[in-house]
Amino acid sequence: MKIAFAGLGAMGRGMAGMLLQAGHDVTGFDLSDAALSWLEENGGRRATTVAQACMGADALVIMVVNANQARTVLFGEDGARGALGAGALVLCSVTMPAGDAAAIGQAASDAGWHYLDAPVSGGTVGAEAGTLTFMTAGEDAAFEAAGPLLDAMGRNIYRLSDKPGAGSTMKMVHQLAAGANLAVAAEVMAFGTDQGLEPALLHEVLMNSAGSSWMIGDRGPRMITTPDSAKSAVDIFVKDLGIVLDAAREERFPLPLATAALQVFLGAASAGYGKADDSQAVKYYECLGGKPVDGQSG
C-alpha cells in the first residue's frame, strides 16, 4: 500500500519502520528534520507537508500527540483534506478523549474517508518490533482496509466497536493502569533507596517477588541509569491521566489512585522533568529530599 505517515516521534518512527519492512511505500511528515532524514535512510520518502505526503496515498497513519494535532493533520492548512482521496483509510493512533475520537471519526467519514480509531500500547520496543497492541473501533470497511497495516505493526489486534470512540476509551482505561503502576514503581524505587537499599539489588528482588510489575521491570532500570533520551515523556502521563480524570469527573466516578498518580507526574514536570523519560517521575521523590536512585542527581 502507499501510505502517508504523520508523526515520526519515538513511537511513530518504529511503526513507520515496520511498514517499510513489510514492503509498503511510506511517505512521512514530521516537524523534525532528523526524523525525516531517518525515514529516508530507511527507505521511505519525506514530505514538506501532510498534503504532499497524502497525494495518491491509500492510507494515512496519524501518530501525533493529541486530538488538536490530529485535527490539524486532517483538516488544517496543508492537511489531508483535498489531498487524500475519497475512500482512503485514516488510521489514527493518537491517545485522545473518546468524544474527540468519535467527532474526528465523523468528520473524516463526512470527508469520504474510512476512519479507524486505533490507539496502541507497547512502547517504543513494541513499535520497533512490530508487536504493538491495537485497540480499534470503526466500520467494517475501515477495519478490513487497515488489516495489512495492523498486521505489520502489531501482534494483538482488538476490535472493540464498529463506531470510533471505543478504542480511545480502552486506551484511556489502559493509561490509568499504566500511569498508576508507573507512579507506584517510582515510589517503591525511591522509598527503598532512601531506606538504604542498593537500587539495582532492590530492583532484582522486586522482580523476583510478588510485588513485581511490568512497569517496575521496564522503567526500574531507567530510574537506576538515567536515559539520555525519552522513550515516552513525563508530560505524556500528565496529558493522559488528565484525560482519565476529565472523563471520570463527567461521570461522577471516583478515581483516587489516578488522582494520586497524576500528582506524581505533575510534581516531576513542575521540577523540570516534563520532557524527560517518564521513568524520571522518580525525580519527584528525589526533589522532596529522597536519595537519588541513579546515585548522581537529586
Side-chain angles (χ1 to χ4, degrees):
M1 295 174 68
K2 186 174 182 181
I3 300 167
F5 203 108
L8 296 166
M11 289 284 290
R13 196 173 301 190
M15 294 164 70
M18 293 309 301
L19 292 171
L20 287 165
Q21 286 187 35
H24 297 289
D25 181 350
V26 180
T27 301
F29 172 77
D30 195 276
L31 296 178
S32 167
D33 184 70
L36 294 172
S37 295
W38 176 91
L39 182 66
E40 289 181 308
E41 291 165 3
N42 285 272
R45 290 193 294 268
R46 71 164 64 206
T48 57
T49 65
V50 173
Q52 184 183 25
C54 288
M55 294 300 294
D58 302 304
L60 167 62
V61 179
I62 306 176
M63 193 60 185
V64 293
V65 173
N66 55 36
N68 285 338
Q69 289 187 8
R71 286 190 178 92
T72 299
V73 166
L74 289 169
F75 306 113
E77 184 178 358
D78 294 324
R81 190 200 296 271
L84 188 65
L89 167 71
V90 175
L91 192 157
C92 189
S93 293
V94 180
T95 300
M96 66 176 80
D100 283 325
I104 292 173
Q106 184 60 58
S109 179
D110 292 343
W113 302 319
H114 300 299
Y115 183 88
L116 194 67
D117 173 28
V120 298
S121 176
T124 56
V125 173
E128 292 168 0
T131 58
L132 293 172
T133 293
F134 278 86
M135 311 164 206
T136 74
E139 61 181 354
D140 291 345
F143 188 75
E144 291 168 8
L149 283 66
L150 298 173
D151 289 343
M153 297 185 291
R155 175 181 293 169
N156 303 299
I157 314 299
Y158 294 98
R159 189 179 183 196
L160 295 150
S161 173
D162 60 357
K163 295 180 175 57
S168 290
T169 296
M170 184 67 244
K171 179 62 186 290
M172 175 182 66
V173 174
H174 170 274
Q175 290 303 86
L176 164 55
N181 271 277
L182 178 50
V184 169
E187 187 163 294
V188 166
M189 291 298 297
F191 181 58
T193 300
D194 193 65
Q195 291 295 300
L197 296 172
E198 197 278 318
L201 184 58
L202 164 63
H203 181 261
E204 181 179 346
V205 173
L206 285 170
M207 289 308 298
N208 287 287
S209 304
S212 66
S213 72
W214 188 93
M215 277 295 188
I216 292 175
D218 186 76
R219 299 315 203 263
R222 285 145 63 183
M223 296 177 191
I224 297 168
T225 304
T226 303
D228 294 330
S229 59
K231 292 187 175 181
S232 181
V234 167
D235 280 342
I236 295 295
F237 272 111
V238 173
K239 171 181 75 75
D240 291 358
L241 287 173
I243 291 172
V244 170
L245 290 169
D246 284 346
R249 187 180 303 110
E250 288 181 9
E251 296 297 324
R252 298 295 190 269
F253 194 96
L255 293 178
L257 297 183
T259 303
L262 177 58
Q263 297 309 306
V264 174
F265 293 104
L266 282 171
S270 68
Y273 295 98
K275 305 301 181 186
D277 187 85
D278 60 20
S279 63
Q280 300 312 292
V282 72
K283 294 293 190 284
Y284 167 75
Y285 295 97
E286 294 179 10
C287 289
L288 292 175
K291 296 177 182 177
V293 175
D294 65 4
Q296 298 175 6
S297 60

